Amino acid sequence: MALKMVKGSIDRMFDKNLQDLVRGIRNHKEDEAKYISQCIDEIKQELKQDNIAVKANAVCKLTYLQMLGYDISWAAFNIIEVMSASKFTFKRIGYLAASQCFHEGTDVIMLTTNQIRKDLSSPSQYDTGVALTGLSCFVTPDLARDLANDIMTLMSHTKPYIRKKAVLIMYKVFLKYPESLRPAFPRLKEKLEDPDPGVQSAAVNVICELARRNPKNYLSLAPLFFKLMTSSTNNWVLIKIIKLFGALTPLEPRLGKKLIEPLTNLIHSTSAMSLLYECVNTVIAVLISLSSGMPNHSASIQLCVQKLRILIEDSDQNLKYLGLLAMSKILRTHPKSVQAHKDLVLQCLDDKDESIRLRALDLLYGMVSKKNLMEIVKKLMTHVDKAEGTTYRDELLTKIIDICSQSNYQHITNFEWYISILVELTRLEGTRHGHLIAAQMLDVAIRVKAIRRFAVSQMSALLDSAHLVASSTQRSGICEVLYAAAWICGEFSEHLQEPQQTLEAMLRPKVTTLPGHIQAVYVQNVVKLYAAILQQKEQAADAQAAQEVTQLLVERLPQFVQSADLEAQERASCILQLVKHVQKLQARDVPVAEEVSALFAGELNPVAPKAQKKVPVPEGLDLDAWINEPLSDSESEDEKPKAIFHDEEPRHAKQRPPEADEQELARRREARKQEQANNPFYIKSSPSPQKRYQDAPGVDHIPVVQIDLSVPLKVPGMPMSDQYVKLEEERRHRQRLEKDKRKRKKRERERRGARRHTSLHTESDEDITPAQRVDIVTEEMPENALPSDEDDKDPNDPYRALDIDLDKPLADSEKLPVQKHRDTETSKSPERQDVTVVEKKSKKPKKKEKKQKEKEREKKKKKEAEKGVDLDFWLSTTPPAATPAPLPPGFLQEEPGVNAAVTAPKEEPRGEEQDAGEDAEQDLEKPSEQKKKKHKKDKGERSKDKKRPKKRAPPREGDAEPVQNGALREEPLPPMSSYSLLAENSYIKMTYDVQGSLQKDSQVTVSMVLENQSSSFLKNMELNVLDSLNARLARPEGSSVHDGVPVPFQLPPGISNEAQFVFTIQSIVTAQKLKGTLSFIAKNDEGSTHEKLDFKLHFTCTSYLVTTPCYSDAFAKLLESGDLSMSSVKVDGISMSFQNLLAKICFHHHFSVVERVDSCASMYSRSIQGHHVCLLVKKGEKSVSVDGKCSDSTLLSNVLEEMKETLAKC
Amino acid sequence: MIKFFLMVNKQGQTRLSKYYEHVEINKRTLLETEVIKSCLSRSNEQCSFIEYKDFKLIYRQYAALFIVVGVNDTENEMAIYEFIHNFVEVLDDYFSRVSELDVSFFSAVNQVFHSAWQRTG
């Protein structure tokens, strides 16, 4: 063994460490990849060795390689090995590697749960810290669920270092496991007032992030944050708080009013640009929220705009950028105040920096008016010419179109100008936005009738020069413009000067190089043109010319028939046949022009893109009801091909008038419902794949024919091409809609608003198409269709899950799951844990639950009212400086968690309930007898507790306890503390608690709370004990048994802190006492004195027990095994409820309940050396008997003796 | 919210990277190259904020080393900008005149990093 170790360390000398690796990579610049693959091979060898140091070194190197972009996921298991190393330096490497490469998909991650839990509860704060840091990077929903409670406990750790980290990681936990938010929130809130600024800042950060997503739940925290804002001097914290207020103000305008003053003060006083920027941002948010009701905040707006102007004029480009960014926010609500700075914005357009130019462009959008539009666009056009990069040029292009088309072309006075601008834009090569220009052209040409003549002439010119466009920019999007040009020339061919010339232009061979959909439009519009020419010629009685045109078509159309695009091909062949037919008729001198132009009679009206979707559902139409009974599942698979027809049907049917009258329909519906109710195979609300197809409107009006299910729905003999026709028809329809209206989407909506309220754009009104079309749009867009569509929301947004009402009192079922003391009443095996929690809930005594619920409801109402009043009160007090001090008492009551935490922190979630419960009691008709008794008892218990010396929150165990056993409780428990007085003098008070840990047998940790009771400063504290044979204090390495252990902190007057000492115990079967001394130097104004305080540490047998969960099946097996010795005690005169009694035993003696039946319960615990202790607790009228079984009889009798003492106090 | 933190030199070699959202390893390399490319293409006269895809890059250059932070649009750009400098000052203090070489031997930087960046979450 020794040899092996020596060999190992020699090996290690030749291993590369990280430094060597980095150096090596630097030295192998030419063949880096080869060198690294060689290194990885070495690392793989190193990972195979047993020596943890070698492994850690290897993982360390891997971490570096991972950063360079090499995949190291294959080493995940080795990383976990290194994570579980006991030495901190190795552990740190492991966690670092894990945080770099683990993610939710890493499958070995589930192996880490216990390791992380162990590290979290490690006595060394650095172990805990590194585990927290690592966990924050790779927490998964499972880890979050399992560890939420451990982390929550760490939020009240004595070390701010740990508290800070724990608070921060809670944010990640909330994201992954939203259920944890409510139970953890009271404590998180508490941390806002933590004495340590780091922890405070962390809590502000977390709440700020949470609140920005779901602000309404955090409105009640506003007073607290306001207090922080006015008192804090930390800019980082201030920024976060101010950001948070920015999110809250839209919900509560009165809050905004209150904020304006302190914020403007900050704006004036601060020198930090980041803070200034944040303040301005929030003031803007406030002003936006106020803009509706309060017009007289122009001073604040002016201040903001002025400050921003200073930023924009600054030579620092960063400030310039931010200034413009913030300015664009003001623009949205207060365009007037920004418009004054047009000069500045135009100046920024010439800036060297693209980002700044882009921001300036954003601003321009709001600055245009009828007067300056042409001027601004002209300037932009010159920029387009100068623009070097295509991205910026494209951005300019979209901005020009945006600016011109905004609010329904409000600012355009001359559409001829606009058309020529659009035509000019088509000269841009390589732009992606051809379709945008095309959409604009179509839109303007269709909607502004007066401009059609001009538009057509421009478009025909475009078509004429098409060879240029087509040849040079085939790959780019600009040829999309031809789509619009062809359509406009065809549709409005009556305005064409030289239709024949345009026709020829459209039939050029070059055209076939265009994309398919454009060719298709060409073909279609060629016929329109043809019809127009034909008519013209026939009217002129020029048969010769008419025949020539037909001949031209017959010659040229075949080139489209060969097109690769199906659409173009199909249209071309149809039309070719048509033209050939016309040719025949022409040969016989039959006049055909009338008939051909009849093909294209009538005008096409634009329809809003969402119109179809927003058609209101007619009254009495139930879209979710089946038309026919659902097909059986087996058939739904081969449903696919049929679906096409199925889908199509309702669409056509819609136009058909309803054939049945209302009564008939109602009758049928009734009958169907009846049938559904009776049909056992009818699945009422489950979404089935078929349902979707039947969701089209109007289906109820189709007379329902019962379909024989044995006959397949597919109609035999129907040719496949029909599908194409129908699909194509639909696609064409959709495409046209999309193409035409994509850009108009937004405008259409705005126009509706504008039309309804005012007629702002008077002169454009007469230009734009008659009201009839607008009517169609308003008709098809029902009133109740809000512009903020539900489909804009992302259903996958993780923050949606965190939208939780935090003011509701906590229900039992919401407690965090705790692995250790899971309630096991009904559980048999660990796999069923989750199920049992649910079962448990439903198993609760119904009556009580009901009452509780009633009470809760009552209380909730009260609470809500209270809250409203409080916030109102707070908001109505006008002088902001005075607010932090006179917080209304009601407001404080809102946080009983905080208050309770001082005396009984373990009661946190319940204390609230209890207090409120007392208030609510008189509201209830029948307050239960038992309840009343309980309260009295609680009060007694509490006062007793107060006598006991403990001012501090007992950490860890104490906090975790109520939650652990919480599932079992139906009523509030008296506060308990495991801390007991150790010694006390005029200087210092010592309380302590002893806890064993299962990780290291024969070791117990003594947590000692030292409280300075004097006005002196206590320092150089040192603790020493006289070791016995059986128990020894663990001292730092190298110190002798007589040396004391220094206490790692000093105590200013009135402060308390906790220190932990580890003791090694040989035999744990008997209790024992150790004498010890605490020495310290007390320093005050008069000088310093050396003081001592003697104490006697009492190690009870109970303190060697560690709460361990046990399942009833395992428990039964244990009892059956028969190697346990037995003993029992009986205590009389007990009036406490069994519930509380059990909780007391659980808490003070570290037991967990295995099973409970009425007034009898089995309990289990385990000693640090692995003794099993099983108890059967029975409650009689006034007495309690405890039967115990244990692997060691002495231990058992001692434990029972101690238990007797505890019970006697009950 | 900070999405990632990068220290990259002018040659495009990553010296330190920290991601707060999981990104595939090969996408990381791609992202890093693109990020450094867009940083390098900017001159001193341009501002330190780049709009990149759906987030913002905030960068600062120290000699040949770029520090780039990717944030979402709710973050205060200026605060991050100031914070980068804060971080560099801490490094400078720790290594007494920090250089790229110090950063490339990176383990200590990671420690400093963790403690410094914790506050901004």
Side-chain angles (χ1 to χ4, degrees), chain A residues 51-77:
Chain A
N51 191 324
I52 191 73
V54 177
K55 260 185 201 161
N57 184 36
V59 168
C60 185
K61 288 189 280 184
L62 278 180
T63 316
Y64 187 80
L65 293 179
Q66 197 263 358
M67 193 195 72
L68 294 183
Y70 292 86
D71 181 28
I72 62 159
S73 53
W74 49 268
F77 190 76

PDB file of all heavy atoms in Angstrom, chain A residues 51-77:
ATOM      1  N   ASN A  51      -5.539   7.216  -7.908  1.00  0.00           N
ATOM      2  CA  ASN A  51      -5.121   8.373  -7.131  1.00  0.00           C
ATOM      3  C   ASN A  51      -5.977   9.597  -7.468  1.00  0.00           C
ATOM      4  O   ASN A  51      -6.042  10.043  -8.614  1.00  0.00           O
ATOM      5  CB  ASN A  51      -3.648   8.667  -7.454  1.00  0.00           C
ATOM      6  CG  ASN A  51      -3.089   9.681  -6.501  1.00  0.00           C
ATOM      7  OD1 ASN A  51      -3.788  10.600  -6.083  1.00  0.00           O
ATOM      8  ND2 ASN A  51      -1.836   9.505  -6.151  1.00  0.00           N
ATOM      9  N   ILE A  52      -6.637  10.131  -6.427  1.00  0.00           N
ATOM     10  CA  ILE A  52      -7.569  11.221  -6.673  1.00  0.00           C
ATOM     11  C   ILE A  52      -6.839  12.486  -7.116  1.00  0.00           C
ATOM     12  O   ILE A  52      -7.346  13.277  -7.903  1.00  0.00           O
ATOM     13  CB  ILE A  52      -8.442  11.467  -5.419  1.00  0.00           C
ATOM     14  CG1 ILE A  52      -9.597  12.401  -5.742  1.00  0.00           C
ATOM     15  CG2 ILE A  52      -7.633  11.998  -4.276  1.00  0.00           C
ATOM     16  CD1 ILE A  52     -10.673  11.768  -6.557  1.00  0.00           C
ATOM     17  N   ALA A  53      -5.605  12.644  -6.634  1.00  0.00           N
ATOM     18  CA  ALA A  53      -4.844  13.834  -7.013  1.00  0.00           C
ATOM     19  C   ALA A  53      -4.582  13.832  -8.520  1.00  0.00           C
ATOM     20  O   ALA A  53      -4.694  14.861  -9.189  1.00  0.00           O
ATOM     21  CB  ALA A  53      -3.533  13.874  -6.247  1.00  0.00           C
ATOM     22  N   VAL A  54      -4.238  12.660  -9.030  1.00  0.00           N
ATOM     23  CA  VAL A  54      -3.983  12.553 -10.464  1.00  0.00           C
ATOM     24  C   VAL A  54      -5.260  12.862 -11.236  1.00  0.00           C
ATOM     25  O   VAL A  54      -5.261  13.588 -12.234  1.00  0.00           O
ATOM     26  CB  VAL A  54      -3.489  11.133 -10.799  1.00  0.00           C
ATOM     27  CG1 VAL A  54      -3.301  10.982 -12.295  1.00  0.00           C
ATOM     28  CG2 VAL A  54      -2.198  10.857 -10.061  1.00  0.00           C
ATOM     29  N   LYS A  55      -6.347  12.307 -10.727  1.00  0.00           N
ATOM     30  CA  LYS A  55      -7.626  12.518 -11.403  1.00  0.00           C
ATOM     31  C   LYS A  55      -7.995  13.993 -11.426  1.00  0.00           C
ATOM     32  O   LYS A  55      -8.429  14.528 -12.445  1.00  0.00           O
ATOM     33  CB  LYS A  55      -8.724  11.754 -10.661  1.00  0.00           C
ATOM     34  CG  LYS A  55      -9.047  10.452 -11.334  1.00  0.00           C
ATOM     35  CD  LYS A  55     -10.209   9.790 -10.669  1.00  0.00           C
ATOM     36  CE  LYS A  55     -10.149   8.322 -11.017  1.00  0.00           C
ATOM     37  NZ  LYS A  55     -10.915   7.491 -10.147  1.00  0.00           N
ATOM     38  N   ALA A  56      -7.810  14.631 -10.267  1.00  0.00           N
ATOM     39  CA  ALA A  56      -8.169  16.044 -10.174  1.00  0.00           C
ATOM     40  C   ALA A  56      -7.342  16.849 -11.166  1.00  0.00           C
ATOM     41  O   ALA A  56      -7.850  17.726 -11.862  1.00  0.00           O
ATOM     42  CB  ALA A  56      -7.947  16.559  -8.760  1.00  0.00           C
ATOM     43  N   ASN A  57      -6.058  16.518 -11.236  1.00  0.00           N
ATOM     44  CA  ASN A  57      -5.185  17.215 -12.169  1.00  0.00           C
ATOM     45  C   ASN A  57      -5.677  17.026 -13.605  1.00  0.00           C
ATOM     46  O   ASN A  57      -5.731  17.973 -14.391  1.00  0.00           O
ATOM     47  CB  ASN A  57      -3.757  16.676 -12.002  1.00  0.00           C
ATOM     48  CG  ASN A  57      -2.780  17.425 -12.860  1.00  0.00           C
ATOM     49  OD1 ASN A  57      -2.924  18.631 -13.039  1.00  0.00           O
ATOM     50  ND2 ASN A  57      -1.819  16.708 -13.424  1.00  0.00           N
ATOM     51  N   ALA A  58      -6.068  15.789 -13.901  1.00  0.00           N
ATOM     52  CA  ALA A  58      -6.545  15.500 -15.252  1.00  0.00           C
ATOM     53  C   ALA A  58      -7.819  16.293 -15.557  1.00  0.00           C
ATOM     54  O   ALA A  58      -7.954  16.881 -16.633  1.00  0.00           O
ATOM     55  CB  ALA A  58      -6.810  14.004 -15.393  1.00  0.00           C
ATOM     56  N   VAL A  59      -8.715  16.317 -14.594  1.00  0.00           N
ATOM     57  CA  VAL A  59      -9.977  17.038 -14.811  1.00  0.00           C
ATOM     58  C   VAL A  59      -9.710  18.533 -14.971  1.00  0.00           C
ATOM     59  O   VAL A  59     -10.323  19.211 -15.788  1.00  0.00           O
ATOM     60  CB  VAL A  59     -10.949  16.770 -13.637  1.00  0.00           C
ATOM     61  CG1 VAL A  59     -12.120  17.725 -13.691  1.00  0.00           C
ATOM     62  CG2 VAL A  59     -11.447  15.348 -13.707  1.00  0.00           C
ATOM     63  N   CYS A  60      -8.742  19.014 -14.201  1.00  0.00           N
ATOM     64  CA  CYS A  60      -8.368  20.420 -14.298  1.00  0.00           C
ATOM     65  C   CYS A  60      -7.933  20.765 -15.722  1.00  0.00           C
ATOM     66  O   CYS A  60      -8.334  21.768 -16.294  1.00  0.00           O
ATOM     67  CB  CYS A  60      -7.265  20.691 -13.295  1.00  0.00           C
ATOM     68  SG  CYS A  60      -6.793  22.390 -13.191  1.00  0.00           S
ATOM     69  N   LYS A  61      -7.113  19.876 -16.266  1.00  0.00           N
ATOM     70  CA  LYS A  61      -6.651  20.114 -17.628  1.00  0.00           C
ATOM     71  C   LYS A  61      -7.821  20.045 -18.618  1.00  0.00           C
ATOM     72  O   LYS A  61      -7.897  20.832 -19.561  1.00  0.00           O
ATOM     73  CB  LYS A  61      -5.585  19.087 -18.002  1.00  0.00           C
ATOM     74  CG  LYS A  61      -4.262  19.333 -17.291  1.00  0.00           C
ATOM     75  CD  LYS A  61      -3.163  18.459 -17.825  1.00  0.00           C
ATOM     76  CE  LYS A  61      -3.232  17.068 -17.235  1.00  0.00           C
ATOM     77  NZ  LYS A  61      -2.112  16.214 -17.675  1.00  0.00           N
ATOM     78  N   LEU A  62      -8.718  19.106 -18.359  1.00  0.00           N
ATOM     79  CA  LEU A  62      -9.872  18.971 -19.249  1.00  0.00           C
ATOM     80  C   LEU A  62     -10.714  20.242 -19.263  1.00  0.00           C
ATOM     81  O   LEU A  62     -11.218  20.651 -20.301  1.00  0.00           O
ATOM     82  CB  LEU A  62     -10.745  17.799 -18.786  1.00  0.00           C
ATOM     83  CG  LEU A  62     -10.291  16.422 -19.225  1.00  0.00           C
ATOM     84  CD1 LEU A  62     -11.241  15.368 -18.694  1.00  0.00           C
ATOM     85  CD2 LEU A  62     -10.243  16.342 -20.744  1.00  0.00           C
ATOM     86  N   THR A  63     -10.817  20.824 -18.086  1.00  0.00           N
ATOM     87  CA  THR A  63     -11.614  22.040 -18.004  1.00  0.00           C
ATOM     88  C   THR A  63     -11.045  23.113 -18.917  1.00  0.00           C
ATOM     89  O   THR A  63     -11.777  23.820 -19.609  1.00  0.00           O
ATOM     90  CB  THR A  63     -11.625  22.564 -16.566  1.00  0.00           C
ATOM     91  OG1 THR A  63     -11.828  21.467 -15.701  1.00  0.00           O
ATOM     92  CG2 THR A  63     -12.716  23.572 -16.356  1.00  0.00           C
ATOM     93  N   TYR A  64      -9.724  23.175 -18.910  1.00  0.00           N
ATOM     94  CA  TYR A  64      -9.075  24.157 -19.775  1.00  0.00           C
ATOM     95  C   TYR A  64      -9.346  23.836 -21.239  1.00  0.00           C
ATOM     96  O   TYR A  64      -9.681  24.711 -22.043  1.00  0.00           O
ATOM     97  CB  TYR A  64      -7.572  24.173 -19.504  1.00  0.00           C
ATOM     98  CG  TYR A  64      -6.868  25.276 -20.247  1.00  0.00           C
ATOM     99  CD1 TYR A  64      -6.897  26.580 -19.773  1.00  0.00           C
ATOM    100  CD2 TYR A  64      -6.182  25.020 -21.418  1.00  0.00           C
ATOM    101  CE1 TYR A  64      -6.267  27.599 -20.452  1.00  0.00           C
ATOM    102  CE2 TYR A  64      -5.545  26.042 -22.109  1.00  0.00           C
ATOM    103  CZ  TYR A  64      -5.592  27.326 -21.622  1.00  0.00           C
ATOM    104  OH  TYR A  64      -4.968  28.337 -22.293  1.00  0.00           O
ATOM    105  N   LEU A  65      -9.232  22.556 -21.572  1.00  0.00           N
ATOM    106  CA  LEU A  65      -9.455  22.158 -22.961  1.00  0.00           C
ATOM    107  C   LEU A  65     -10.910  22.426 -23.365  1.00  0.00           C
ATOM    108  O   LEU A  65     -11.181  22.830 -24.489  1.00  0.00           O
ATOM    109  CB  LEU A  65      -9.130  20.677 -23.144  1.00  0.00           C
ATOM    110  CG  LEU A  65      -7.653  20.338 -22.984  1.00  0.00           C
ATOM    111  CD1 LEU A  65      -7.435  18.845 -23.158  1.00  0.00           C
ATOM    112  CD2 LEU A  65      -6.819  21.108 -23.996  1.00  0.00           C
ATOM    113  N   GLN A  66     -11.797  22.211 -22.426  1.00  0.00           N
ATOM    114  CA  GLN A  66     -13.210  22.468 -22.723  1.00  0.00           C
ATOM    115  C   GLN A  66     -13.408  23.921 -23.102  1.00  0.00           C
ATOM    116  O   GLN A  66     -14.140  24.238 -24.026  1.00  0.00           O
ATOM    117  CB  GLN A  66     -14.045  22.107 -21.496  1.00  0.00           C
ATOM    118  CG  GLN A  66     -15.528  21.942 -21.767  1.00  0.00           C
ATOM    119  CD  GLN A  66     -16.328  23.185 -21.438  1.00  0.00           C
ATOM    120  OE1 GLN A  66     -15.783  24.183 -20.968  1.00  0.00           O
ATOM    121  NE2 GLN A  66     -17.601  23.139 -21.715  1.00  0.00           N
ATOM    122  N   MET A  67     -12.695  24.784 -22.376  1.00  0.00           N
ATOM    123  CA  MET A  67     -12.823  26.199 -22.661  1.00  0.00           C
ATOM    124  C   MET A  67     -12.326  26.525 -24.069  1.00  0.00           C
ATOM    125  O   MET A  67     -12.821  27.426 -24.732  1.00  0.00           O
ATOM    126  CB  MET A  67     -12.056  26.997 -21.625  1.00  0.00           C
ATOM    127  CG  MET A  67     -12.374  28.455 -21.630  1.00  0.00           C
ATOM    128  SD  MET A  67     -11.140  29.325 -20.722  1.00  0.00           S
ATOM    129  CE  MET A  67      -9.761  29.216 -21.823  1.00  0.00           C
ATOM    130  N   LEU A  68     -11.339  25.731 -24.501  1.00  0.00           N
ATOM    131  CA  LEU A  68     -10.812  25.964 -25.844  1.00  0.00           C
ATOM    132  C   LEU A  68     -11.725  25.374 -26.904  1.00  0.00           C
ATOM    133  O   LEU A  68     -11.453  25.467 -28.094  1.00  0.00           O
ATOM    134  CB  LEU A  68      -9.421  25.348 -25.975  1.00  0.00           C
ATOM    135  CG  LEU A  68      -8.334  25.967 -25.113  1.00  0.00           C
ATOM    136  CD1 LEU A  68      -7.011  25.311 -25.403  1.00  0.00           C
ATOM    137  CD2 LEU A  68      -8.229  27.458 -25.351  1.00  0.00           C
ATOM    138  N   GLY A  69     -12.776  24.724 -26.470  1.00  0.00           N
ATOM    139  CA  GLY A  69     -13.751  24.238 -27.442  1.00  0.00           C
ATOM    140  C   GLY A  69     -13.706  22.741 -27.694  1.00  0.00           C
ATOM    141  O   GLY A  69     -14.204  22.272 -28.707  1.00  0.00           O
ATOM    142  N   TYR A  70     -13.098  21.976 -26.794  1.00  0.00           N
ATOM    143  CA  TYR A  70     -13.075  20.525 -26.976  1.00  0.00           C
ATOM    144  C   TYR A  70     -14.163  19.902 -26.112  1.00  0.00           C
ATOM    145  O   TYR A  70     -14.415  20.346 -24.996  1.00  0.00           O
ATOM    146  CB  TYR A  70     -11.708  19.957 -26.604  1.00  0.00           C
ATOM    147  CG  TYR A  70     -10.630  20.390 -27.561  1.00  0.00           C
ATOM    148  CD1 TYR A  70      -9.963  21.593 -27.375  1.00  0.00           C
ATOM    149  CD2 TYR A  70     -10.310  19.622 -28.673  1.00  0.00           C
ATOM    150  CE1 TYR A  70      -9.006  22.035 -28.260  1.00  0.00           C
ATOM    151  CE2 TYR A  70      -9.345  20.050 -29.575  1.00  0.00           C
ATOM    152  CZ  TYR A  70      -8.692  21.255 -29.362  1.00  0.00           C
ATOM    153  OH  TYR A  70      -7.762  21.677 -30.248  1.00  0.00           O
ATOM    154  N   ASP A  71     -14.777  18.885 -26.662  1.00  0.00           N
ATOM    155  CA  ASP A  71     -15.863  18.240 -25.941  1.00  0.00           C
ATOM    156  C   ASP A  71     -15.289  17.349 -24.838  1.00  0.00           C
ATOM    157  O   ASP A  71     -14.436  16.510 -25.096  1.00  0.00           O
ATOM    158  CB  ASP A  71     -16.676  17.399 -26.919  1.00  0.00           C
ATOM    159  CG  ASP A  71     -17.837  16.725 -26.219  1.00  0.00           C
ATOM    160  OD1 ASP A  71     -18.300  17.293 -25.219  1.00  0.00           O
ATOM    161  OD2 ASP A  71     -18.253  15.657 -26.673  1.00  0.00           O
ATOM    162  N   ILE A  72     -15.745  17.548 -23.620  1.00  0.00           N
ATOM    163  CA  ILE A  72     -15.242  16.682 -22.547  1.00  0.00           C
ATOM    164  C   ILE A  72     -16.381  15.963 -21.840  1.00  0.00           C
ATOM    165  O   ILE A  72     -16.233  15.473 -20.735  1.00  0.00           O
ATOM    166  CB  ILE A  72     -14.416  17.479 -21.518  1.00  0.00           C
ATOM    167  CG1 ILE A  72     -15.280  18.536 -20.841  1.00  0.00           C
ATOM    168  CG2 ILE A  72     -13.208  18.107 -22.135  1.00  0.00           C
ATOM    169  CD1 ILE A  72     -14.703  18.979 -19.508  1.00  0.00           C
ATOM    170  N   SER A  73     -17.511  15.887 -22.499  1.00  0.00           N
ATOM    171  CA  SER A  73     -18.659  15.283 -21.815  1.00  0.00           C
ATOM    172  C   SER A  73     -18.406  13.802 -21.489  1.00  0.00           C
ATOM    173  O   SER A  73     -19.031  13.257 -20.583  1.00  0.00           O
ATOM    174  CB  SER A  73     -19.905  15.434 -22.678  1.00  0.00           C
ATOM    175  OG  SER A  73     -19.646  14.932 -23.962  1.00  0.00           O
ATOM    176  N   TRP A  74     -17.469  13.185 -22.180  1.00  0.00           N
ATOM    177  CA  TRP A  74     -17.174  11.773 -21.899  1.00  0.00           C
ATOM    178  C   TRP A  74     -16.591  11.596 -20.501  1.00  0.00           C
ATOM    179  O   TRP A  74     -16.603  10.505 -19.950  1.00  0.00           O
ATOM    180  CB  TRP A  74     -16.224  11.198 -22.949  1.00  0.00           C
ATOM    181  CG  TRP A  74     -15.012  12.061 -23.194  1.00  0.00           C
ATOM    182  CD1 TRP A  74     -14.895  13.034 -24.126  1.00  0.00           C
ATOM    183  CD2 TRP A  74     -13.767  12.036 -22.488  1.00  0.00           C
ATOM    184  NE1 TRP A  74     -13.678  13.637 -24.062  1.00  0.00           N
ATOM    185  CE2 TRP A  74     -12.944  13.030 -23.060  1.00  0.00           C
ATOM    186  CE3 TRP A  74     -13.254  11.267 -21.442  1.00  0.00           C
ATOM    187  CZ2 TRP A  74     -11.658  13.283 -22.624  1.00  0.00           C
ATOM    188  CZ3 TRP A  74     -11.969  11.516 -21.003  1.00  0.00           C
ATOM    189  CH2 TRP A  74     -11.181  12.513 -21.586  1.00  0.00           C
ATOM    190  N   ALA A  75     -16.055  12.663 -19.939  1.00  0.00           N
ATOM    191  CA  ALA A  75     -15.414  12.528 -18.627  1.00  0.00           C
ATOM    192  C   ALA A  75     -16.358  12.881 -17.493  1.00  0.00           C
ATOM    193  O   ALA A  75     -15.934  13.058 -16.357  1.00  0.00           O
ATOM    194  CB  ALA A  75     -14.179  13.419 -18.568  1.00  0.00           C
ATOM    195  N   ALA A  76     -17.655  12.973 -17.805  1.00  0.00           N
ATOM    196  CA  ALA A  76     -18.608  13.438 -16.791  1.00  0.00           C
ATOM    197  C   ALA A  76     -18.512  12.627 -15.502  1.00  0.00           C
ATOM    198  O   ALA A  76     -18.537  13.177 -14.405  1.00  0.00           O
ATOM    199  CB  ALA A  76     -20.027  13.375 -17.351  1.00  0.00           C
ATOM    200  N   PHE A  77     -18.365  11.329 -15.663  1.00  0.00           N
ATOM    201  CA  PHE A  77     -18.327  10.511 -14.454  1.00  0.00           C
ATOM    202  C   PHE A  77     -17.081  10.798 -13.622  1.00  0.00           C
ATOM    203  O   PHE A  77     -17.135  10.877 -12.401  1.00  0.00           O
ATOM    204  CB  PHE A  77     -18.406   9.033 -14.811  1.00  0.00           C
ATOM    205  CG  PHE A  77     -18.609   8.165 -13.605  1.00  0.00           C
ATOM    206  CD1 PHE A  77     -19.853   8.099 -13.006  1.00  0.00           C
ATOM    207  CD2 PHE A  77     -17.553   7.472 -13.043  1.00  0.00           C
ATOM    208  CE1 PHE A  77     -20.048   7.341 -11.870  1.00  0.00           C
ATOM    209  CE2 PHE A  77     -17.738   6.711 -11.908  1.00  0.00           C
ATOM    210  CZ  PHE A  77     -18.988   6.642 -11.327  1.00  0.00           C
TER     211      PHE A  77
END
